Amino acid sequence: MYAMKNISFLLALLLSASLSQAAVRLPQIFQSGMVLQRGQTMRVWGQADTQEQVTVTLNKTPQQAKPKTKNLITCTTVADAQGWWVAELPAMKAGGPYSLTVESRPSASDTNPSPLTSHIELSDVWIGDVWLCSGQSNMETTLERVSPQYPDELNDSNAMVRLFHVAYDTDATGPKNDLRPTSWQKLNRESAWRFSAIGYFLGKQLQQQTGVAQGIIESAWGGTPIEAWIAADSIKKYYPVMHRQTMLYQNDAFIQAQQQAGALAGQRWQEILDEEDPGMIWSQSLEASPTKGKHYHLWASSDFDDSQWAEVNQYNLTAKPSPLAGRREWIGSLWLRQHITISKAHAGKAARLLLGTLYDADITYINGVQVGSTGYQYPPRRYQVPEGLLREGDNVITVRFINKTGIPYFVKEKPYRLVFGDNDIQPLGEQWRLQTGLEMPRNIGGGISLQNQPSTLFNGMISPLAPFAVAGVLWYQGESNTDPRGAREYAPLLRLLMANWRDAFRRPDLLFVVIQLANYMEPSEQPQNTGWSQVREVQRLVATEDARAELAVTIDLGETVDIHPLRKKEVAWRVALCLDRLVYGKKVMLSPQVTAASVADGKVVLTMDQPMQPAGALKYFEVAGADGKYLNATAHLDGNSRIVVDSPVSQPCHLRYAWRDNPLNVNVYSAAGLPMAPQQIDLP
């Protein structure tokens, strides 16, 4: 009997008040509207009273028709001494909608049996393909976040695609009993708006390609390292010190004390900032104030005189005459104001204020009225301006930055504008008036980020899903492991995660699509050797060496200024190509690969596995001799499947391609339009 990892479950169906003993239960993953994996044994598990007989039945007859015995697929099992049970339904072809019933009844050996049975019935059950989408924030990035990139696809709906969002949860002591309450949802704008954009686009595309139901499970958490997603027994075996790190948090009283202390410190830090900030005053000091007893944002007022403030460009807040000139850090509040002129035609109209992306937190006002706020750096600022707020003539936008580290800044290449209606745009200027608010000390508090500790997310967000049958895993993670130590350890950790999950889901051949890190940060004209390139190489090598894995290359889909690039539909399309080869047996060409490398007459010749896209000078090749010092090299295409690199050293020993944080505008593509992956090659 499968031990079920101490799974405990919520009551899936309220029973009659007269039912005092039998109560079969199912975990969150089993609900009406779900998708079961075709072509695999379908495991259904749960809890009942000890030694109860549990029968799981899948009714293949359309739900509106009268059931026929021959269309029932049934499996009967018995709950063990702890009440856990598992039933295995045979592999089936895609189809639906079906109903799934789970019924428990006392064992014949029960000396005091209940005459009643416990019965759960799930409806609208489909058999198709199920995908587990996991990793950190780029997998978690929502449809809402990328919506400006794809305005024509925001209102799509497809009842044959079902979305299942796993809520955040952690545990340092061991596998969680079950997921937090959630449900299967049909794909539409409402259900997808806060769902993984990659999962959304992938589900739509695969359903259109295959014609079968698609189940997309999103289990991701931004900013988390790979070790948080690996089971404790694996970490303990291969990384005992890392395991002991988790053991430090196996004390609820300690965690609660730390979290409470951090919250209190943060609260007091904010109270001091608001009380002492010269841009804010207590309204009780104002006669007949309508907001008596509250803070009044003096410097946000439309009639406040800011003529003596320093005028600065938003992309250089530390340039003279800014009071931040020469500063590398400003902790506390910073105020910026910009006056804009609104025409008579636009006066009084509702609008959207796009304030790009800011570092770090902000509270934003128009004419003294708060229109939005964001608590950290990454989300785009898209604030709704209500009707009647904008007036003809002079208006003022005020941004109050709140920073706990670093220096405040506006992110380049993002939109800064007012938008009326669909596409009536009034750009903002780059010039602002600036004044420092209150300088603060560093926050003395600090809670515990359990999600960043080894094994905690496997325990809370992966183990409760297993062994639910899935077609494969999409893994998009690595940004949090790009520090030097993390990059060195990433290869064995990624291999361990894949083996670990295959064991948990009871699928030795469970497939993985590893999404390689996109280009990011300031471009460099000279060779670099950073953690970002090293993690990309590990992702490539691990995916290449594993017959049940593929690499989705995204080195051309990133952004210089944003760790969360918007082009998630293109990522999903490349993932789908990987699945075409891995799952659906199609003969597709993925990103071009080097099949042979040779050196002759001061040139390195790379033979590719497919025709390449014509181009002129090929960018981002570099060569090193035995000393390991890399130099830029020129390269060109010779024929349609050979790349010739002119070596800058007499005896080339190593070659690298796109080995930089942000090899902007790479131009080595296959004829099919897919980019070559960043990589390092030791030459013969």
Side-chain angles (χ1 to χ4, degrees), residues 55 100 147 199 273 328 371 399 421 423 455 457 467 519 545-546 598 609 615 625 631:
T55 300
L100 182 80
S147 58
L273 178 66
R328 291 190 173 186
V371 294
V399 180
N423 200 32
S455 307
L457 296 183
N519 52 307
E545 72 189 18
D546 192 313
S598 60
D609 67 343
L631 301 173

Side-chain angles (χ1 to χ4, degrees), residues 509-564:
D509 60 347
L510 179 64
L511 67 86
F512 281 78
V513 174
V514 178
I515 302 174
Q516 196 180 43
L517 297 186
N519 52 307
Y520 173 54
M521 293 183 284
E522 284 297 319
S524 172
E525 294 298 322
Q526 299 304 316
Q528 294 177 309
N529 186 26
T530 68
W532 280 73
S533 293
Q534 294 169 32
V535 169
R536 289 188 191 113
E537 178 70 343
V538 166
Q539 292 171 325
R540 184 186 72 87
L541 292 173
V542 172
T544 299
E545 72 189 18
D546 192 313
R548 297 297 293 164
E550 290 289 0
L551 182 75
V553 180
T554 66
I555 195 61
D556 57 337
L557 299 180
E559 297 182 25
T560 299
V561 297
D562 199 337
I563 199 171
H564 306 119

Side-chain angles (χ1 to χ4, degrees), residues 32-35 63 97 123-126 156-165 183-193 195 200 204 214-216:
S32 293
M34 68 179 175
V35 179
Q63 293 169 339
S123 61
D124 194 27
V125 175
W126 292 80
D156 288 357
S157 61
N158 188 332
M160 293 288 284
V161 179
R162 306 297 170 89
L163 309 178
F164 187 85
H165 180 263
S183 63
W184 289 90
Q185 301 287 326
K186 297 177 182 178
L187 183 149
N188 53 45
R189 176 169 175 149
E190 181 180 2
S191 63
W193 198 238
F195 195 80
Y200 167 82
K204 287 201 307 177
Q214 300 291 316
I216 309 295

Side-chain angles (χ1 to χ4, degrees), residues 34-50:
M34 68 179 175
V35 179
L36 297 172
Q37 179 59 44
R38 62 172 167 168
Q40 295 185 27
T41 298
M42 297 176 289
R43 297 183 184 88
V44 182
W45 66 88
Q47 188 180 22
D49 287 346
T50 301

Side-chain angles (χ1 to χ4, degrees), residues 219-528:
S219 184
W221 193 327
T224 55
I226 189 172
E227 56 266 27
W229 298 94
I230 301 175
D233 55 354
S234 297
I235 291 289
K236 182 178 181 180
K237 180 177 180 180
Y238 297 102
Y239 298 90
V241 175
M242 194 180 289
H243 175 68
R244 294 182 198 116
Q245 177 182 332
T246 306
M247 293 175 67
L248 293 174
Y249 298 96
Q250 294 176 345
N251 184 306
D252 289 343
F254 168 70
I255 292 173
Q256 291 171 7
Q258 290 292 313
Q259 300 289 42
Q260 184 178 20
L264 289 172
Q267 178 182 333
R268 185 57 186 145
W269 190 93
Q270 188 66 48
E271 288 172 350
I272 295 171
L273 178 66
D274 290 343
E275 290 168 4
E276 302 292 330
D277 191 336
M280 303 174 69
I281 59 175
W282 283 100
S283 59
Q284 58 258 41
S285 65
L286 303 177
E287 294 296 331
S289 170
T291 58
K292 187 175 181 180
K294 298 182 179 179
H295 282 105
Y296 176 72
H297 304 87
L298 176 66
W299 288 356
S301 173
S302 59
D303 55 5
F304 176 78
D305 182 6
D306 57 24
S307 61
Q308 300 305 307
W309 287 17
E311 187 170 343
V312 297
N313 183 280
Q314 69 184 37
Y315 299 125
N316 195 359
L317 300 183
T318 59
K320 293 181 179 180
S322 168
L324 296 183
R327 300 290 296 254
R328 291 190 173 186
E329 186 171 63
W330 177 263
I331 298 175
S333 63
L334 182 73
W335 295 77
L336 291 100
R337 287 166 58 92
Q338 179 174 147
H339 292 260
I340 58 173
T341 300
I342 298 297
S343 68
K344 182 177 181 180
H346 290 130
K349 288 187 175 180
R352 283 176 297 140
L353 174 62
L354 305 185
L355 268 183
T357 307
L358 308 175
Y359 182 85
D360 188 25
D362 76 284
I363 305 172
T364 297
Y365 312 82
I366 292 181
N367 296 333
V369 176
Q370 182 175 325
V371 294
S373 65
T374 303
Y376 65 109
Q377 70 182 96
Y378 292 120
R381 275 59 170 179
R382 301 171 189 155
Y383 298 148
Q384 297 300 316
V385 182
E387 290 184 3
L389 182 56
L390 293 171
R391 60 200 178 208
E392 183 179 358
D394 184 65
N395 296 256
V396 64
I397 300 172
T398 306
V399 180
R400 184 192 187 214
F401 281 87
I402 299 175
N403 281 60
K404 297 182 179 179
T405 60
I407 200 85
Y409 63 86
F410 290 72
V411 175
K412 291 183 179 180
E413 302 174 24
K414 296 295 183 179
Y416 297 90
R417 61 187 62 154
L418 277 170
V419 181
F420 299 88
D422 291 333
N423 200 32
D424 185 0
I425 295 172
Q426 180 171 341
L428 302 184
E430 293 185 7
Q431 298 301 114
W432 295 75
R433 292 190 179 276
L434 177 150
Q435 182 60 274
T436 55
L438 186 73
E439 186 172 10
M440 290 285 291
R442 289 185 178 273
N443 189 345
I444 61 173
I448 295 175
S449 299
L450 276 179
Q451 73 274 16
N452 295 328
Q453 305 308 318
S455 307
T456 55
L457 296 183
F458 179 87
N459 291 340
M461 298 174 65
I462 296 300
S463 182
L465 290 169
F468 192 80
V470 298
V473 175
L474 281 58
W475 180 248
Y476 196 166
Q477 191 277 337
E479 297 92 340
S480 290
N481 290 88
T482 54
D483 62 278
R485 176 189 171 188
R488 289 194 300 270
E489 293 180 342
Y490 199 79
L493 285 170
L494 181 55
R495 294 186 184 101
L496 186 59
L497 178 139
M498 294 166 71
N500 189 213
W501 288 23
R502 284 166 173 160
D503 180 63
F505 285 89
R506 295 215 218 160
R507 283 291 309 279
D509 60 347
L510 179 64
L511 67 86
F512 281 78
V513 174
V514 178
I515 302 174
Q516 196 180 43
L517 297 186
N519 52 307
Y520 173 54
M521 293 183 284
E522 284 297 319
S524 172
E525 294 298 322
Q526 299 304 316
Q528 294 177 309

Side-chain angles (χ1 to χ4, degrees), residues 131 202 206 472-474 511-513 550 574-586 590:
W131 309 99
L202 182 70
L206 293 181
V473 175
L474 281 58
L511 67 86
F512 281 78
V513 174
E550 290 289 0
R574 292 179 185 178
V575 169
L577 284 178
C578 295
L579 298 178
D580 280 345
R581 177 185 286 186
L582 277 175
V583 181
Y584 303 119
K586 296 183 180 180
L590 303 179

Side-chain angles (χ1 to χ4, degrees), residues 170-216:
T170 62
D171 200 304
T173 61
K176 277 279 189 180
N177 294 327
D178 193 12
L179 302 172
R180 291 187 173 179
T182 185
S183 63
W184 289 90
Q185 301 287 326
K186 297 177 182 178
L187 183 149
N188 53 45
R189 176 169 175 149
E190 181 180 2
S191 63
W193 198 238
R194 300 292 181 185
F195 195 80
S196 164
I198 292 176
Y200 167 82
F201 289 118
L202 182 70
K204 287 201 307 177
Q205 180 172 339
L206 293 181
Q207 202 286 316
Q208 292 168 0
Q209 285 181 200
T210 65
V212 307
Q214 300 291 316
I216 309 295

